[in-house]
Amino acid sequence: MSTPRAASPQLGAVSVATVVEGAPGLTSVPFGSNSVQHGTAVFEGIRSHAGPGGPLLFRLDDHIDRLLASAAALGIEHPYGKDELRRMIVGATAATGLADTYVRPVLYTPEARLGVDLARFAFRFGAETWAAPGTGTPAGPGIRLTVSPWARPSPRTFPTGVKATGNYAVSALAKTRAAEAGYDDAVQLDPHTGRVAEATIANVFAVRSGRLVTPWTRESLLPGITRDTVLRLAEDLGVDTGEEPLTVDDLAGADELFLTGTALGLVPVAYFENRELPPERPMFDRLDRAYRDCVGGRVPARPGWLTPVVR
Protein backbone atom coordinates (compact mmCIF):
# COMPACT_ATOMS: atom_id res chain seq x y z
CA MET A 1 0.00 0.00 0.00
CA SER A 2 1.34 3.40 -0.91
CA THR A 3 -0.27 5.43 1.86
CA PRO A 4 1.49 5.22 5.25
CA ARG A 5 -0.38 3.83 8.19
CA ALA A 6 -2.03 6.28 10.57
CA ALA A 7 -0.48 7.02 13.93
CA SER A 8 -2.72 6.04 16.85
CA PRO A 9 -2.48 7.46 20.36
CA GLN A 10 0.08 5.46 22.31
CA LEU A 11 0.44 4.33 25.87
CA GLY A 12 3.69 5.14 27.62
CA ALA A 13 6.52 3.02 26.28
CA VAL A 14 7.62 2.10 29.81
CA SER A 15 5.39 1.27 32.75
CA VAL A 16 5.53 3.78 35.56
CA ALA A 17 4.62 1.59 38.54
CA THR A 18 4.23 -2.03 39.56
CA VAL A 19 2.21 -3.16 42.57
CA VAL A 20 2.17 -6.77 43.77
CA GLU A 21 -0.32 -7.63 46.48
CA GLY A 22 -0.41 -4.03 47.65
CA ALA A 23 3.37 -3.52 47.93
CA PRO A 24 4.75 -0.94 45.47
CA GLY A 25 8.05 -1.64 43.76
CA LEU A 26 9.52 -3.56 40.88
CA THR A 27 9.04 -7.29 40.76
CA SER A 28 10.08 -10.18 38.56
CA VAL A 29 8.31 -13.36 37.52
CA PRO A 30 10.36 -16.57 37.12
CA PHE A 31 10.93 -17.58 33.50
CA GLY A 32 9.52 -20.99 34.39
CA SER A 33 6.31 -19.50 35.79
CA ASN A 34 3.27 -21.38 34.56
CA SER A 35 1.71 -18.06 33.55
CA VAL A 36 4.77 -17.28 31.38
CA GLN A 37 5.05 -20.76 29.89
CA HIS A 38 1.35 -21.39 29.25
CA GLY A 39 -0.40 -18.00 29.36
CA THR A 40 -2.35 -19.08 32.44
CA ALA A 41 -3.31 -15.68 33.81
CA VAL A 42 -6.39 -13.48 33.65
CA PHE A 43 -6.31 -9.71 33.45
CA GLU A 44 -8.19 -6.46 32.99
CA GLY A 45 -7.39 -3.08 31.49
CA ILE A 46 -8.70 -0.04 33.37
CA ARG A 47 -8.29 3.66 32.61
CA SER A 48 -7.92 6.56 34.98
CA HIS A 49 -8.50 10.09 33.72
CA ALA A 50 -7.83 13.54 35.11
CA GLY A 51 -11.01 14.81 36.76
CA PRO A 52 -11.94 18.15 38.29
CA GLY A 53 -10.81 16.95 41.74
CA GLY A 54 -8.12 14.43 40.81
CA PRO A 55 -7.76 11.09 38.98
CA LEU A 56 -10.91 9.06 38.30
CA LEU A 57 -10.93 5.32 37.57
CA PHE A 58 -13.64 4.46 35.07
CA ARG A 59 -16.07 1.59 35.78
CA LEU A 60 -13.69 0.01 38.28
CA ASP A 61 -16.25 -2.34 39.81
CA ASP A 62 -17.33 -3.64 36.40
CA HIS A 63 -13.72 -4.46 35.56
CA ILE A 64 -13.18 -6.20 38.88
CA ASP A 65 -16.36 -8.23 38.39
CA ARG A 66 -15.10 -9.38 35.00
CA LEU A 67 -11.66 -10.23 36.42
CA LEU A 68 -13.27 -12.40 39.07
CA ALA A 69 -15.60 -13.99 36.50
CA SER A 70 -12.63 -14.79 34.23
CA ALA A 71 -10.79 -16.46 37.11
CA ALA A 72 -13.86 -18.49 38.07
CA ALA A 73 -14.46 -19.61 34.48
CA LEU A 74 -10.92 -21.00 34.21
CA GLY A 75 -10.93 -22.60 37.66
CA ILE A 76 -8.32 -20.20 39.05
CA GLU A 77 -8.41 -20.13 42.83
CA HIS A 78 -7.13 -17.06 44.68
CA PRO A 79 -7.59 -15.39 48.10
CA TYR A 80 -8.84 -11.97 46.93
CA GLY A 81 -12.23 -10.43 47.49
CA LYS A 82 -13.70 -7.54 45.56
CA ASP A 83 -12.97 -4.94 48.25
CA GLU A 84 -9.31 -5.96 48.48
CA LEU A 85 -8.89 -5.89 44.71
CA ARG A 86 -10.46 -2.45 44.59
CA ARG A 87 -8.08 -1.18 47.25
CA MET A 88 -5.00 -2.56 45.48
CA ILE A 89 -6.01 -1.20 42.06
CA VAL A 90 -6.67 2.25 43.47
CA GLY A 91 -3.30 2.02 45.24
CA ALA A 92 -1.53 1.04 42.03
CA THR A 93 -3.04 4.04 40.28
CA ALA A 94 -2.13 6.42 43.08
CA ALA A 95 1.46 5.10 43.13
CA THR A 96 2.10 6.52 39.65
CA GLY A 97 1.52 10.12 40.71
CA LEU A 98 -0.23 10.58 37.34
CA ALA A 99 -3.83 11.37 36.52
CA ASP A 100 -4.10 9.75 33.07
CA THR A 101 -3.05 6.12 33.27
CA TYR A 102 -3.78 2.66 31.95
CA VAL A 103 -3.84 0.03 34.71
CA ARG A 104 -3.38 -3.68 34.01
CA PRO A 105 -4.49 -5.82 37.00
CA VAL A 106 -3.49 -9.49 36.65
CA LEU A 107 -4.10 -12.71 38.55
CA TYR A 108 -1.10 -14.89 37.74
CA THR A 109 0.95 -17.72 39.19
CA PRO A 110 4.69 -17.30 39.79
CA GLU A 111 5.10 -21.04 40.40
CA ALA A 112 7.74 -22.52 38.12
CA ARG A 113 6.00 -25.85 37.61
CA LEU A 114 4.63 -27.44 34.47
CA GLY A 115 1.07 -28.65 34.12
CA VAL A 116 -2.27 -27.17 33.14
CA ASP A 117 -4.50 -28.09 36.09
CA LEU A 118 -4.92 -24.55 37.36
CA ALA A 119 -6.45 -25.61 40.65
CA ARG A 120 -3.00 -26.93 41.64
CA PHE A 121 -1.31 -23.53 41.39
CA ALA A 122 -1.25 -20.59 43.79
CA PHE A 123 -2.33 -17.35 42.09
CA ARG A 124 -1.48 -13.86 43.24
CA PHE A 125 -2.36 -10.31 42.25
CA GLY A 126 -0.20 -7.78 40.44
CA ALA A 127 -0.89 -4.49 38.63
CA GLU A 128 1.19 -2.68 36.04
CA THR A 129 0.48 0.94 35.09
CA TRP A 130 1.38 3.09 32.10
CA ALA A 131 1.03 6.76 31.27
CA ALA A 132 -1.87 7.22 28.84
CA PRO A 133 -3.40 9.97 26.68
CA GLY A 134 -5.70 12.40 28.47
CA THR A 135 -9.29 13.17 27.52
CA GLY A 136 -8.16 16.29 25.68
CA THR A 137 -6.19 14.23 23.15
CA PRO A 138 -7.81 14.59 19.70
CA ALA A 139 -8.95 11.51 17.86
CA GLY A 140 -6.61 12.08 14.92
CA PRO A 141 -7.19 11.35 11.24
CA GLY A 142 -8.25 7.74 11.74
CA ILE A 143 -6.76 4.31 11.18
CA ARG A 144 -6.61 1.79 8.35
CA LEU A 145 -8.66 -1.34 8.94
CA THR A 146 -8.60 -4.63 7.05
CA VAL A 147 -10.24 -8.05 7.37
CA SER A 148 -8.04 -10.70 8.94
CA PRO A 149 -7.68 -14.17 7.42
CA TRP A 150 -7.61 -15.45 11.01
CA ALA A 151 -11.05 -15.95 12.60
CA ARG A 152 -11.86 -15.57 16.27
CA PRO A 153 -11.72 -18.70 18.46
CA SER A 154 -14.97 -20.60 18.62
CA PRO A 155 -17.02 -20.36 21.86
CA ARG A 156 -16.81 -24.16 21.80
CA THR A 157 -13.04 -23.81 22.17
CA PHE A 158 -12.73 -20.99 24.70
CA PRO A 159 -15.27 -18.84 26.59
CA THR A 160 -15.41 -15.55 24.69
CA GLY A 161 -16.08 -13.42 27.78
CA VAL A 162 -12.85 -14.47 29.54
CA LYS A 163 -9.80 -12.17 29.37
CA ALA A 164 -6.93 -14.64 29.58
CA THR A 165 -3.38 -13.75 28.58
CA GLY A 166 -2.87 -16.90 26.51
CA ASN A 167 -5.93 -16.21 24.37
CA TYR A 168 -4.42 -12.95 23.14
CA ALA A 169 -1.92 -14.81 20.97
CA VAL A 170 -4.82 -15.02 18.50
CA SER A 171 -5.15 -11.23 18.52
CA ALA A 172 -1.37 -10.83 18.16
CA LEU A 173 -1.35 -13.09 15.12
CA ALA A 174 -4.09 -11.09 13.36
CA LYS A 175 -2.61 -7.71 14.32
CA THR A 176 0.89 -8.63 13.18
CA ARG A 177 -0.37 -9.84 9.81
CA ALA A 178 -2.41 -6.65 9.35
CA ALA A 179 0.58 -4.44 10.22
CA GLU A 180 2.77 -6.29 7.73
CA ALA A 181 0.18 -5.48 5.04
CA GLY A 182 0.20 -1.77 5.92
CA TYR A 183 -2.89 -1.59 8.12
CA ASP A 184 -3.33 -0.49 11.73
CA ASP A 185 -5.80 -3.16 12.81
CA ALA A 186 -7.92 -6.00 11.52
CA VAL A 187 -11.50 -7.19 11.83
CA GLN A 188 -11.76 -10.83 12.83
CA LEU A 189 -14.76 -12.90 11.80
CA ASP A 190 -16.86 -15.44 13.66
CA PRO A 191 -15.54 -18.94 12.83
CA HIS A 192 -19.03 -20.40 12.33
CA THR A 193 -21.05 -17.65 10.63
CA GLY A 194 -18.31 -15.69 8.84
CA ARG A 195 -19.83 -12.47 10.16
CA VAL A 196 -17.99 -9.64 11.90
CA ALA A 197 -16.96 -10.36 15.50
CA GLU A 198 -14.44 -7.74 16.65
CA ALA A 199 -11.10 -6.13 15.90
CA THR A 200 -7.95 -7.61 17.40
CA ILE A 201 -8.31 -5.91 20.80
CA ALA A 202 -11.34 -3.70 20.25
CA ASN A 203 -15.04 -3.80 19.43
CA VAL A 204 -16.42 -2.54 16.12
CA PHE A 205 -19.15 0.04 15.49
CA ALA A 206 -20.70 1.07 12.17
CA VAL A 207 -22.98 3.97 11.27
CA ARG A 208 -25.43 3.66 8.39
CA SER A 209 -28.07 6.29 7.60
CA GLY A 210 -27.80 7.76 11.09
CA ARG A 211 -28.14 4.40 12.87
CA LEU A 212 -25.40 3.06 15.17
CA VAL A 213 -24.85 -0.71 15.11
CA THR A 214 -22.36 -3.15 16.60
CA PRO A 215 -22.09 -6.96 16.27
CA TRP A 216 -24.36 -8.85 18.61
CA THR A 217 -22.89 -11.11 21.27
CA ARG A 218 -23.90 -14.30 19.46
CA GLU A 219 -20.72 -13.88 17.44
CA SER A 220 -17.33 -14.81 18.95
CA LEU A 221 -16.57 -11.48 20.56
CA LEU A 222 -15.71 -10.18 23.98
CA PRO A 223 -18.37 -7.54 24.75
CA GLY A 224 -16.16 -4.77 26.07
CA ILE A 225 -16.97 -2.36 28.85
CA THR A 226 -16.22 0.60 26.55
CA ARG A 227 -18.60 -0.96 24.00
CA ASP A 228 -21.31 -1.05 26.64
CA THR A 229 -20.51 2.53 27.66
CA VAL A 230 -20.89 3.79 24.08
CA LEU A 231 -24.21 1.99 23.67
CA ARG A 232 -25.54 3.59 26.87
CA LEU A 233 -24.27 7.05 25.98
CA ALA A 234 -25.82 6.73 22.52
CA GLU A 235 -29.18 5.85 24.03
CA ASP A 236 -28.90 8.85 26.38
CA LEU A 237 -28.32 11.03 23.31
CA GLY A 238 -31.37 9.62 21.56
CA VAL A 239 -29.35 7.77 18.93
CA ASP A 240 -30.99 4.79 17.23
CA THR A 241 -28.76 1.86 18.23
CA GLY A 242 -28.69 -1.86 17.57
CA GLU A 243 -26.76 -5.00 18.46
CA GLU A 244 -27.20 -7.26 15.47
CA PRO A 245 -25.36 -9.45 12.93
CA LEU A 246 -22.95 -7.48 10.73
CA THR A 247 -21.22 -8.68 7.57
CA VAL A 248 -18.05 -7.46 5.90
CA ASP A 249 -20.28 -5.87 3.25
CA ASP A 250 -22.07 -3.93 6.01
CA LEU A 251 -18.73 -2.46 7.08
CA ALA A 252 -17.70 -1.76 3.49
CA GLY A 253 -20.87 0.25 2.93
CA ALA A 254 -20.90 2.13 6.24
CA ASP A 255 -20.94 5.92 6.49
CA GLU A 256 -18.71 5.78 9.55
CA LEU A 257 -16.67 3.10 11.31
CA PHE A 258 -14.91 3.24 14.64
CA LEU A 259 -13.38 0.96 17.26
CA THR A 260 -13.78 1.03 21.02
CA GLY A 261 -11.50 -0.22 23.78
CA THR A 262 -10.38 0.69 27.25
CA ALA A 263 -6.82 1.68 26.39
CA LEU A 264 -7.59 4.22 23.67
CA GLY A 265 -11.31 4.93 24.02
CA LEU A 266 -12.96 5.60 20.64
CA VAL A 267 -10.80 5.36 17.50
CA PRO A 268 -12.14 6.42 14.07
CA VAL A 269 -11.52 4.40 10.91
CA ALA A 270 -10.34 6.39 7.89
CA TYR A 271 -9.90 3.46 5.49
CA PHE A 272 -11.63 0.09 5.37
CA GLU A 273 -9.58 -2.15 3.09
CA ASN A 274 -8.90 0.21 0.15
CA ARG A 275 -12.01 2.33 0.58
CA GLU A 276 -11.60 5.80 2.06
CA LEU A 277 -14.44 6.73 4.39
CA PRO A 278 -15.87 10.27 4.44
CA PRO A 279 -13.72 12.62 6.56
CA GLU A 280 -16.85 13.99 8.24
CA ARG A 281 -17.79 11.83 11.23
CA PRO A 282 -20.78 13.48 12.93
CA MET A 283 -21.81 10.39 14.91
CA PHE A 284 -18.28 9.58 16.01
CA ASP A 285 -17.56 13.17 17.01
CA ARG A 286 -20.73 13.34 19.08
CA LEU A 287 -20.11 10.07 20.89
CA ASP A 288 -16.39 10.69 21.35
CA ARG A 289 -17.13 14.03 23.00
CA ALA A 290 -19.78 12.46 25.24
CA TYR A 291 -17.40 9.65 26.21
CA ARG A 292 -14.48 11.96 27.04
CA ASP A 293 -16.72 14.27 29.05
CA CYS A 294 -18.08 11.27 30.96
CA VAL A 295 -14.77 9.59 31.85
CA GLY A 296 -13.23 12.96 32.75
CA GLY A 297 -16.02 13.77 35.21
CA ARG A 298 -17.12 16.86 33.29
CA VAL A 299 -20.73 15.65 33.11
CA PRO A 300 -22.74 13.49 35.53
CA ALA A 301 -21.98 9.80 35.12
CA ARG A 302 -24.07 6.79 36.00
CA PRO A 303 -23.78 5.55 39.61
CA GLY A 304 -20.59 3.56 40.17
CA TRP A 305 -18.88 4.60 36.95
CA LEU A 306 -16.30 6.97 38.47
CA THR A 307 -14.04 6.06 41.40
CA PRO A 308 -11.85 8.87 42.82
CA VAL A 309 -8.18 8.00 43.36
CA VAL A 310 -7.06 9.31 46.74
CA ARG A 311 -3.29 9.79 46.92
Side-chain angles (χ1 to χ4, degrees), residues 110-135:
E111 292 191 45
R113 291 191 290 112
L114 297 178
V116 290
D117 180 358
L118 300 186
R120 299 183 60 226
F121 291 87
F123 280 78
R124 65 191 304 184
F125 172 86
E128 194 88 355
T129 50
W130 284 264
T135 58

Side-chain angles (χ1 to χ4, degrees), residues 29-301:
V29 178
F31 177 72
S33 158
N34 197 268
S35 291
V36 172
Q37 297 294 328
H38 296 305
T40 51
V42 292
F43 72 96
E44 278 297 316
I46 310 174
R47 277 298 313 267
S48 76
H49 302 270
L56 298 167
L57 282 161
F58 188 63
R59 297 190 67 168
L60 174 60
D61 285 348
D62 292 320
H63 283 288
I64 293 174
D65 287 342
R66 191 168 62 182
L67 180 68
L68 292 171
S70 293
L74 295 189
I76 289 175
E77 298 180 1
H78 59 86
Y80 309 106
K82 186 171 181 178
D83 289 343
E84 186 177 12
L85 289 172
R86 185 188 296 111
R87 176 182 59 78
M88 290 191 292
I89 293 169
V90 171
T93 309
T96 67
L98 302 175
D100 295 295
T101 64
Y102 175 80
V103 188
R104 174 63 63 87
V106 184
L107 289 173
Y108 71 99
T109 177
E111 292 191 45
R113 291 191 290 112
L114 297 178
V116 290
D117 180 358
L118 300 186
R120 299 183 60 226
F121 291 87
F123 280 78
R124 65 191 304 184
F125 172 86
E128 194 88 355
T129 50
W130 284 264
T135 58
T137 304
I143 65 168
R144 288 182 173 269
L145 188 65
T146 186
V147 178
S148 177
W150 299 99
R152 294 295 302 161
S154 167
R156 300 173 187 171
T157 302
F158 196 86
T160 56
V162 170
K163 287 180 72 71
T165 56
N167 198 36
Y168 276 67
V170 176
S171 299
L173 176 64
K175 174 82 173 205
T176 302
R177 176 67 64 86
E180 290 172 347
Y183 293 92
D184 299 290
D185 207 343
V187 169
Q188 294 187 268
L189 307 180
D190 182 275
H192 303 294
T193 67
R195 293 189 293 248
V196 175
E198 62 182 37
T200 58
I201 54 171
N203 291 120
V204 179
F205 281 84
V207 180
R208 298 193 69 174
S209 301
R211 187 164 186 265
L212 179 71
V213 291
T214 192
W216 59 1
T217 55
R218 297 183 195 181
E219 314 297 356
S220 300
L221 61 91
L222 189 151
I225 290 173
T226 307
R227 172 187 180 274
D228 177 70
T229 300
V230 168
L231 287 171
R232 297 201 199 188
L233 292 175
E235 291 173 359
D236 292 344
L237 293 171
V239 174
D240 182 13
T241 65
E243 297 178 72
E244 57 194 45
L246 284 178
T247 66
V248 171
D249 287 343
D250 290 328
L251 299 191
D255 302 317
E256 300 178 45
L257 293 174
F258 63 91
L259 308 182
T260 63
T262 295
L264 299 176
L266 280 61
V267 178
V269 175
Y271 287 84
F272 180 66
E273 297 290 359
N274 291 323
R275 180 206 165 201
E276 183 177 10
L277 277 76
E280 298 79 17
R281 309 181 187 109
M283 182 73 76
F284 173 84
D285 291 342
R286 190 180 181 195
L287 290 169
D288 184 50
R289 182 169 52 252
Y291 176 78
R292 289 188 288 119
D293 284 344
C294 178
V295 300
R298 292 186 288 274
V299 297

